[in-house]
Amino acid sequence: MKRLPENARILVVKFNAIGDVVMTTPALRDLRAAYPRAHITLLVGSWSAPVIRNNPHLDEILEFDSSILEFDQTPFFKRKWLSIARLILRLRRGRYDAAIVLHALPTVHLFVRLAGIPIRYGMLREGRSARHLTASVPEDLGPERYYAANYQDVVALAGAPLGPTQSEVHSSAEEVAQADRLLAEAGIGPGVEFLLVAPGGGRNPREDMQARRWPKERFAEVLLDLIARRPGFRVVLSGAGSDREETSYIASRLPGAVDFTSRLTLGQLFRVAQRAGAVLCNDSSVLHIGIAARRPVVAPFGPTSARQRMPDWALPYAWQSPIPCSPCYSGGGYFPGCPIGFQCMRETGSEQILPLLERALDENPAVAAS
């Protein structure tokens, strides 16, 4: 593929969600390495923007109101036509040479074409038209491939050599200091080992996938078993306001747990993950933040695929349900529903997750504050 000008103005388009935006960071790093003198801008929705704001591989971030988008099987722009027109005009004023479109759906491709960007690289879902793209790669929704590699395939169209799939999140110095202060106030200073636990998640502007969430009773069970084996070990709970039911349930049954629900920015959460001995969570944004922090993430998987959501180095700490229909969700659309009542998650118990937690903690020394 022909290279872009070395000083090209490049627009990267990724609307949602937090975990998906984190998975774009290997591709952003590859793009910057290939074009160190280019001006690289990311167009991202306000819901996900905080997780990418300090990324050193971007020159500019354009945030837009995520509420103008409605997602179902294809993204359909809500009838906020004036807001959409303003966003298109804003992009036209940017005079971009090329766009890297990290969505596989023609509606998004058309939106970028209307912005007047002459070169448009993107990925394409099977059976969809490529008429709005200059060049495309097929989206691989297979359960055996880490999905972040799809984004790297797209930047390869622009001539970017591909590097590791390790994702990145970057906290500001202020966020690091604030997170360390919150931990210290909770009695978790340097050298105190703790587990970061996020029992909620699976909610974003596109969907609320309850099936991804391991039952809160199971979280409480495995944490009580862990504390019984490791007296004095600390647990830090985290989640958005929508996760309050899960975090409150666990906090009420786990004396000494530190509950940071709704108290952490994404940058602060990343710092807490960096200092944790391990992370216990569902297939959610916290999973991707933990991977970016290079900490072992213990996660139960049922309807979704651990291999699709985690890089190879992280897989030894994941639990994939062994029932024959798991995984049933490819990521290409909504969860298809479950005729057997989420058996994959209900039948995963402490006896499966506790050994993974203990191994993760034993094999990965706690990180001191620094």
Side-chain angles (χ1 to χ4, degrees):
M1 194 65 62
K2 183 178 178 181
R3 279 182 62 83
L4 301 172
E6 296 305 312
N7 62 346
R9 292 181 59 81
I10 303 172
L11 178 71
V12 181
V13 179
K14 186 58 187 174
F15 295 153
N16 68 292
I18 293 170
D20 290 343
V21 170
V22 173
M23 284 197 290
T24 69
T25 57
L28 295 176
R29 185 174 60 242
D30 294 340
L31 188 62
R32 172 55 72 196
Y35 294 98
R37 292 192 290 137
H39 185 95
I40 301 175
T41 299
L42 175 68
L43 177 67
V44 64
S46 54
W47 174 275
S48 306
V51 82
I52 199 75
R53 282 183 186 147
N54 297 298
N55 189 286
H57 309 302
L58 296 170
D59 296 291
E60 185 180 7
I61 296 175
L62 296 181
E63 298 180 30
F64 69 94
D65 181 0
S66 302
S67 70
I68 73 169
L69 300 178
E70 180 71 50
F71 285 90
D72 47 30
Q73 292 293 351
T74 61
F76 173 76
F77 293 94
K78 290 183 180 178
R79 298 186 180 224
K80 297 187 177 181
W81 303 120
L82 183 58
S83 297
I84 296 167
R86 285 172 176 165
L87 183 56
I88 290 173
L89 289 174
R90 185 180 182 187
L91 296 180
R92 281 183 169 271
R93 288 195 295 269
R95 298 186 179 277
Y96 296 103
D97 300 294
I100 306 293
V101 190
L102 302 181
H103 288 272
L105 299 170
T107 312
V108 180
H109 305 159
L110 172 61
F111 170 78
V112 175
R113 185 175 184 177
L114 291 174
I117 302 173
I119 299 173
R120 301 172 300 281
Y121 298 132
M123 57 184 175
L124 202 66
R125 191 160 297 167
E126 185 178 0
R128 303 295 174 86
S129 170
R131 66 182 179 274
H132 301 306
L133 294 174
T134 306
S136 64
V137 293
E139 181 187 32
D140 186 349
L141 289 170
E144 299 299 315
R145 190 190 194 210
Y146 184 36
Y147 190 83
N150 282 285
Y151 302 137
Q152 292 183 292
D153 289 345
V154 179
V155 299
L157 291 172
L162 303 186
T165 55
Q166 175 60 45
S167 55
E168 303 177 15
V169 173
H170 299 270
S171 303
S172 68
E174 182 180 5
E175 287 171 322
V176 169
Q178 290 169 338
D180 287 346
R181 176 180 55 79
L182 286 170
L183 287 170
E185 290 173 353
I188 301 176
V192 176
E193 193 174 26
F194 70 94
L195 179 71
L196 175 61
V197 180
R203 302 175 176 100
N204 61 56
R206 180 179 178 181
E207 61 189 351
D208 180 353
M209 190 172 169
Q210 181 182 357
R212 287 186 185 182
R213 295 194 285 276
W214 197 37
K216 59 184 183 294
E217 296 83 2
R218 295 283 193 265
F219 272 97
E221 176 187 0
V222 75
L223 292 171
L224 287 169
D225 288 346
L226 181 68
I227 297 301
R229 294 185 181 217
R230 297 175 182 245
F233 191 82
R234 302 298 302 274
V235 169
V236 173
L237 296 165
S238 180
S242 56
D243 302 320
R244 180 73 66 183
E245 177 184 346
E246 290 90 352
T247 55
S248 295
Y249 178 89
I250 294 168
S252 69
R253 285 156 179 78
L254 203 69
V258 177
D259 190 354
F260 283 159
T261 304
S262 296
R263 296 184 62 190
L264 300 174
T265 67
L266 289 173
Q268 291 167 354
L269 176 61
F270 176 69
R271 173 58 173 173
V272 173
Q274 283 184 308
R275 288 188 50 189
V279 179
L280 173 64
C281 63
N282 296 309
D283 176 10
S284 64
S285 60
V286 178
L287 177 137
H288 300 284
I289 289 171
I291 289 169
R294 293 172 172 80
R295 303 310 296 156
V297 178
V298 178
F301 282 83
T304 54
S305 165
R307 287 190 174 275
Q308 188 190 64
R309 307 298 286 170
M310 304 176 79
D312 287 344
W313 70 262
L315 287 171
Y317 306 110
W319 171 263
Q320 185 77 51
S321 171
I323 71 172
C325 56
S326 172
C328 61
Y329 176 85
S330 69
Y334 281 120
F335 173 59
C338 181
I340 57 174
F342 311 136
Q343 180 181 343
C344 55
M345 298 299 266
R346 285 189 296 104
E347 293 189 356
T348 298
S350 179
E351 63 272 21
Q352 284 85 35
I353 302 303
L354 182 60
L356 296 173
L357 274 176
E358 294 211 282
R359 188 173 62 165
L361 293 167
D362 290 340
E363 293 177 354
N364 298 271
V367 180
S370 61

